Amino acid sequence: MDKKLERILPRVQKPARYIGGELNSVVKDKEKIGLRYAFCFPDSYEIGMSHLGIKILYAIANSREDTWCERVFAPWPDMEEQMRQNGILLYGLESGDPIRDFDMIGFTLQYELCYTNVLNMLDLAGLPVFAKDRTALSPIVMGGGPCVCNPEPIAPFFDLFSLGDGEEVNNELMDLYLEHKKRGSDKQAFLADAAKIPGVYVPSLYNVSYHADGTVGAVTPAGGAPETVTKRVVRDLDKVAYPESFVVPFIDVVHDRVTHEIFRGCIRGCRFCQACFLNRPIREKSPETINEQCKVLCRNTGYDEISLCSLSSSDYSRIEELLNLLLDWTPQEKINVALPSLRVDNFSDELLQKLKKVRRSGLTFAPEAGTQRLRDVINKNVTEEEMLKTANIAFSGGYCAVKLYFMLGLPTETDEDVEGIGLLAKKVVDAFYTNPDRPAGRGVQVSISASSFVPKPFTPFQWEPQATAEELQEKQQHLKETLPSRKISVSFHDIETSCLEGVFARGDRRLADVIYRAWKQGCTFDSWGDFFKYDVWMRCFADAGLDPAFYANRRRAFSEVLPWDHLNYGVSRRYLEREAQKAMRAETTPNCKQGCAGCGANKLNGGHCDV
Amino acid sequence: MYDLRLWLSKKGSLKYVSHLDMFRLMQRAVRRAGIPLWYTEGFNPHPYISFLLALSLGIEGEGEPVDLRIVGEMTPEEVRERLNAVLPRGLSVVAAAPPQDKPAAIAFGRYDVYLDPAQISGAELQDVLAGGGLTCQKSGKSGHKKIMKTVDVSAQLREWQIEEKDGSLLLHVVLPAGSTVNLNPLQLLEAVSEKRGAPVYACSAVRTALLKADGKEFR
């Protein structure tokens, strides 16, 4: 280990975040490597190491003989201070080498409030933060993940973005890079060619003009870049590469287990949910593949827990078959199977019996809204009756704690809808006490978690104004005051961070100036309450001459050019408009299994959808 | 079924992996190695693995004892080999044998501490250690409240030796270790730094052995 590093590690919290060397981490002979890739997660080690995407793309890159992919996380502020004082540049965990000298640096952008960390990591690496100031071919700085569906606020910091599933396009980009490196070409030549790869968006090749009122006039491509960039879709999840091992962290991370994605996309079409629309069309992995891959992963990691993940696990068409396969071998190996993201309307007694064989944890429902009317607006097709029925099945099965997730500030929300949250929770409490099979001698605990709704691109609510901080404050207060039972507790998501998230989610390129200013004034780790500096952010908006309300709290017309209109995620704008109009009439749309609503995403998969 | 005591060597950057994290690491390693362990029989069964004594963050170990309860016939030698095949770099089982002493018999730790002669000379170190009056601050509890306690280091310091060769400075020291009194060499250096009014950092520190009250090696 580097001497300087050796000296500072005893002075920081959790030094094991910074040492690498974990089981299954990949070390290669750098003399034999043509391309060095730094996979960066712009948040703490504990968060980043919980992310499945990084594990998949790490394994794919390292399966190439010509490539060595390393992991990089945002150093915690105490470590950052020590690094800056002692002149240590941001390094890859596997080699300890500065990533400044790498060929490609890839950031996964999972949430908007990580943007200042991206700038900070580039700076800690000793690189200019603006793409235009990094003139050499290497390193190429790229971004992927859900936030790149509207990467405009951070476009000036990146060379390119990769839209959609990364498994295939990353390989194509690496091949192209190696070709250009061999040829000794410059960055512009590489980017011009990269823009021809489907799914690759090179923001510097697009010119954005604005109307006098601040809205986008047009986005014009140059240099042969396509008019619209369409996201990439992996067609067959059974054939696409999946890791045979995960890096097993030394320290406790948020999700420290075998995680397995059972399908991509979601049939539900809840109108607030960006993940649903960004990941369509639906593609399922077969139970046999999942089972085999889980076996190999457990063997190679020593984990004693498998978590099956997806956006709505009980919608997986062969769920019982899969559980049968898994429960055939996991109990004797003392491995737990967890199945998060279950729906209340298709949570059967049989499924519960199967889940009881594995360790019991709490039960969480996400009704999202307090009244049926508002649930119809957001197309969360769950009725109170179904919810109480499921709660009763669970209570009979021995559960006594229920968590309920709601959102405040949804379109058309009234005081009555807010009060409905407490009333619904009360009905769950009553269901417990009227259930003759409830666990004897125990009370019930219902905890409400209320977050703030943030309208996101590529959802039917992308034109909606976000509730202001004052409005959200009033709604939270109203909910607290109208809670009808002491068995119910409520917790809220911080309002100010939601407001900032709302600005960047639907922002345009001019916001890069605000992000740059905020970072310069010391903003990092904005998603961590301890470090979030709302007043500094507001000052930066003022200094940049931009109004956050213009981005967050304004109703947009269908006729407006949205900053992300030149990007295509499969779901058509016409479909989203149709859904937006139905929402205003509180009209629901059946899920994809009941009937195709014509979102258009199946075009990306040769007209096919696994429903 | 029998009890087996492993002796682990924990070197290099593994010294930054905490006691709690070591337990989890070991739990996964025995699974990967396919070692049949006895599971506790409570509501939440877990394999029986016991690290006898914590090793402070930042200190390496040459022989740290860990007790396992093996079900079936697997020999100590096979357990050792299987584990060594799956442990991360920096960690290895140097010996495996049935326990001889009870865990409570641990009374002292023997350490090698490498110092930078540019920071302190051997003669000065000798004077400070022999001079008495060394104290350091340790976090402790009073009821539920966290407080800082002042520890009399000199009272616990009995045996040391200073070795100087080829421009390096090596302190061999025996310090109390076990379930009641504990002092680690980094705390000793803090006390030394405090006394002389200038910092002394360890280039590295290694626990080389655990001793019983009579000074014999714990086995």
Side-chain angles (χ1 to χ4, degrees):
Chain A
M1 198 189 295
D2 180 73
K3 276 264 158 51
K4 278 196 257 176
L5 194 58
E6 184 86 46
R7 211 165 328 128
I8 67 170
L9 283 180
R11 292 176 226 169
V12 300
Q13 288 175 48
K14 301 193 189 173
R17 285 166 170 166
Y18 310 111
I19 58 176
E22 304 95 322
L23 185 87
N24 298 330
S25 57
V26 178
V27 174
K28 297 192 175 187
D29 178 357
K30 55 186 167 195
E31 303 309 319
K32 294 179 185 150
I33 294 299
L35 195 159
R36 296 191 66 181
Y37 194 107
F39 199 116
C40 301
F41 194 102
D43 208 321
S44 74
Y45 179 91
E46 289 90 326
I47 307 281
M49 282 298 287
S50 306
H51 178 238
L52 179 58
I54 186 171
K55 298 177 206 282
I56 296 176
L57 297 175
Y58 179 81
I60 290 179
N62 279 323
S63 69
R64 297 168 61 107
E65 261 183 36
D66 55 12
T67 302
W68 186 8
C69 175
E70 305 189 32
R71 294 159 301 138
V72 187
F73 304 95
W76 200 248
D78 65 338
M79 180 65 173
E80 177 190 342
E81 191 190 323
Q82 292 290 337
M83 288 171 75
R84 289 193 190 276
Q85 273 174 16
N86 293 281
I88 298 174
L89 293 174
L90 190 64
Y91 56 91
L93 281 182
E94 278 71 4
S95 66
D97 294 338
I99 63 168
R100 181 173 66 179
D101 306 325
F102 282 30
D103 297 284
M104 294 178 115
I105 297 177
F107 284 92
T108 177
L109 303 165
Q110 297 290 318
Y111 26 84
E112 294 80 359
L113 294 183
C114 72
Y115 292 166
T116 51
N117 276 10
V118 172
L119 272 63
N120 204 40
M121 285 172 80
L122 288 172
D123 186 59
L124 274 170
L127 290 164
V129 296
F130 284 102
K132 64 174 168 48
D133 300 327
R134 298 186 302 262
T135 48
L137 174 65
S138 72
I140 295 291
V141 176
M142 59 181 285
C147 287
V148 307
C149 76
N150 176 25
E152 294 306 294
I154 42 167
F157 309 114
F158 282 83
D159 297 311
L160 65 90
F161 295 104
S162 148
L163 276 53
D165 300 336
E167 284 102 328
E168 292 162 351
V169 69
N170 267 17
N171 273 329
E172 294 161 27
L173 276 166
M174 288 186 232
D175 288 340
L176 182 72
Y177 175 86
L178 282 167
E179 217 180 287
H180 277 267
K181 188 181 178 182
K182 209 157 84 192
R183 249 194 271 155
S185 53
D186 65 3
K187 184 167 163 177
Q188 284 320 312
F190 168 75
L191 289 178
D193 273 0
K196 292 177 192 144
I197 298 178
V200 174
Y201 172 47
V202 178
S204 56
L205 297 181
Y206 294 77
N207 182 46
V208 186
S209 65
Y210 299 91
H211 293 301
D213 66 0
T215 58
V216 172
V219 178
T220 324
E227 294 263 341
T228 5
V229 181
T230 302
K231 75 152 178 174
R232 288 295 287 266
V233 162
V234 167
R235 288 198 174 199
D236 190 342
L237 292 190
D238 281 317
K239 294 207 181 99
V240 74
Y242 201 76
E244 292 192 340
S245 70
F246 288 171
V247 175
V248 183
F250 290 129
I251 61 170
D252 202 9
V253 301
V254 181
H255 296 296
D256 199 8
R257 56 184 74 97
V258 167
T259 323
H260 208 102
E261 184 191 29
I262 55 179
F263 71 100
R264 238 166 245 191
C266 183
I267 62 168
R268 296 286 164 175
C270 303
R271 293 180 180 128
F272 56 85
C273 178
Q274 189 186 38
C276 168
F277 300 106
L278 286 188
N279 293 296
R280 284 182 171 192
I282 321 288
R283 287 145 295 151
E284 288 196 347
K285 201 180 244 191
S286 73
E288 294 76 22
T289 310
I290 298 167
N291 187 47
E292 282 313 308
Q293 289 174 340
C294 283
K295 261 188 208 169
V296 172
L297 277 169
C298 284
R299 201 166 54 226
N300 289 338
T301 58
Y303 278 128
D304 58 2
E305 188 176 356
I306 298 169
S307 177
L308 300 175
C309 73
S310 71
L311 294 171
S312 175
S313 301
S314 43
D315 286 335
Y316 178 63
S317 63
R318 296 161 75 186
I319 188 77
E320 307 234 342
E321 210 180 322
L322 172 62
L323 286 177
N324 283 339
L325 283 174
L326 288 169
L327 292 175
D328 197 39
W329 59 277
T330 49
Q332 56 262 39
E333 303 212 3
K334 301 197 168 56
I335 291 170
N336 290 310
V337 180
L339 195 55
S341 306
L342 291 174
R343 292 271 307 186
V344 293
D345 47 353
N346 59 0
F347 182 100
S348 67
D349 205 15
E350 298 83 77
L351 189 57
L352 185 84
Q353 292 310 320
K354 289 225 169 66
L355 289 177
K356 269 178 69 181
K357 287 192 193 148
V358 304
R359 197 187 298 170
R360 178 186 306 160
S361 60
L363 193 66
T364 306
F365 294 142
E368 309 292 2
T371 61
Q372 194 57 49
R373 184 201 67 83
L374 192 53
R375 282 195 294 275
D376 289 346
V377 168
I378 63 175
N379 203 41
K380 183 87 193 182
N381 291 335
V382 164
T383 64
E384 190 175 294
E385 198 192 334
E386 284 165 335
M387 218 164 341
L388 295 176
K389 192 181 126 215
T390 311
N392 265 317
I393 295 176
F395 292 147
S396 307
Y399 287 87
C400 322
V402 177
K403 225 189 277 174
L404 298 174
Y405 283 174
F406 292 96
M407 274 183 289
L408 289 173
L410 287 163
T412 77
E413 187 176 74
T414 62
D415 276 358
E416 197 194 326
D417 296 310
V418 176
E419 290 154 25
I421 294 175
L423 295 177
L424 183 60
K426 177 69 166 50
K427 284 180 188 158
V428 176
V429 172
D430 294 343
F432 181 84
Y433 286 106
T434 52
N435 186 326
D437 305 325
R438 69 178 184 268
R442 299 180 63 184
V444 68
Q445 225 186 340
V446 177
S447 7
I448 294 174
S449 167
S451 61
S452 314
F453 170 62
V454 179
K456 295 273 168 116
F458 296 102
T459 68
F461 291 154
Q462 64 178 350
W463 296 278
E464 285 293 316
Q466 183 183 4
T468 63
E470 295 72 32
E471 287 164 353
L472 288 168
Q473 191 65 54
E474 277 166 30
K475 286 172 192 288
Q476 290 191 354
Q477 194 58 32
H478 192 63
L479 175 55
K480 253 191 286 184
E481 282 165 3
T482 56
L483 278 188
S485 161
R486 296 217 332 249
K487 300 278 177 201
I488 306 171
S489 64
V490 60
S491 62
F492 296 107
H493 192 271
D494 177 59
I495 291 175
E496 291 174 342
T497 49
S498 301
C499 291
L500 196 64
E501 183 186 330
V503 172
F504 293 127
R506 294 185 293 170
D508 58 34
R509 232 173 244 200
R510 293 171 301 179
L511 286 172
D513 185 28
V514 179
I515 295 169
Y516 179 74
R517 284 167 192 266
W519 166 67
K520 271 281 176 199
Q521 297 199 29
C523 289
T524 55
F525 285 96
D526 297 298
S527 59
W528 296 78
D530 308 0
F531 301 112
F532 185 59
K533 303 181 186 90
Y534 191 57
D535 49 331
V536 174
W537 275 103
M538 289 305 117
R539 215 167 49 232
C540 293
F541 277 105
D543 292 348
L546 292 169
D547 178 11
F550 170 82
Y551 296 101
N553 313 116
R554 177 173 64 89
R555 177 174 295 285
R556 291 152 170 84
F558 286 162
S559 58
E560 183 174 330
V561 175
L562 301 171
W564 54 93
D565 269 346
H566 56 300
L567 307 180
N568 172 18
Y569 271 73
V571 289
S572 71
R573 204 180 201 266
R574 266 209 326 277
Y575 163 79
L576 293 176
E577 288 175 8
R578 215 156 58 221
E579 282 293 298
Q581 286 161 335
K582 283 174 92 174
M584 292 308 118
R585 301 194 297 264
E587 220 174 275
T588 60
T589 298
N591 73 49
C592 303
K593 280 191 183 163
Q594 295 163 322
C596 177
C599 73
N602 60 349
K603 287 200 194 100
L604 303 183
N605 201 18
H608 186 71
C609 204
D610 279 351
V611 284
Chain B
M1 186 163 74
Y2 70 100
D3 286 348
L4 180 63
R5 185 162 291 165
L6 305 178
W7 297 85
L8 281 183
S9 152
K10 187 184 179 193
K11 287 296 183 69
S13 54
L14 260 289
K15 68 183 172 202
Y16 296 115
V17 178
S18 73
H19 185 58
L20 210 65
D21 295 331
M22 283 299 286
F23 175 77
R24 209 177 23 239
L25 188 158
M26 211 50 200
Q27 207 174 334
R28 288 168 185 163
V30 294
R31 296 183 67 91
R32 291 193 299 273
I35 292 165
L37 280 201
W38 179 78
Y39 273 68
T40 59
E41 284 160 353
F43 179 69
N44 207 343
H46 59 271
Y48 181 77
I49 299 173
S50 169
F51 280 79
L52 303 196
L53 189 68
L55 183 60
S56 306
L57 212 64
I59 300 178
E60 295 170 295
E62 284 181 351
E64 294 299 309
V66 187
D67 285 359
L68 308 178
R69 189 164 295 163
I70 309 284
V71 187
E73 305 291 306
M74 194 179 282
T75 63
E77 196 43 34
E78 187 174 355
V79 172
R80 191 176 80 89
E81 279 170 13
R82 281 180 175 233
L83 274 172
N84 281 339
V86 301
L87 285 172
R89 283 182 302 275
L91 202 62
S92 63
V93 182
V94 289
Q100 289 174 23
D101 299 312
K102 290 217 166 74
I106 300 172
F108 300 102
R110 185 190 283 150
Y111 299 88
D112 283 353
V113 187
Y114 294 84
L115 300 166
D116 180 0
Q119 270 185 332
I120 190 167
S121 70
E124 192 196 343
L125 181 63
Q126 175 60 30
D127 285 349
V128 177
L129 292 178
L134 290 172
T135 59
C136 80
Q137 298 288 310
K138 236 174 131 173
S139 62
K141 272 185 189 161
S142 164
H144 287 294
K145 246 173 57 189
K146 275 197 177 167
I147 52 158
M148 292 305 283
K149 286 181 184 166
T150 304
V151 180
D152 184 349
V153 173
S154 289
Q156 301 181 14
L157 187 64
R158 282 185 225 164
E159 201 187 317
W160 73 86
Q161 209 187 334
I162 294 165
E163 197 181 315
E164 280 175 284
K165 58 175 180 191
D166 318 325
S168 76
L169 178 59
L170 172 57
L171 168 68
H172 303 280
V173 63
V174 174
L175 295 169
S179 49
T180 47
V181 203
N182 251 306
L183 188 72
N184 78 47
L186 303 182
Q187 289 163 331
L188 171 66
L189 291 187
E190 259 174 58
V192 170
S193 304
E194 171 84 24
K195 181 80 188 275
R196 67 193 285 260
V200 184
Y201 297 124
C203 303
S204 72
V206 192
R207 182 149 77 191
T208 55
L210 293 172
L211 309 174
K212 293 185 281 189
D214 61 7
K216 292 206 175 93
E217 274 204 24
F218 174 80
R219 276 286 130 210

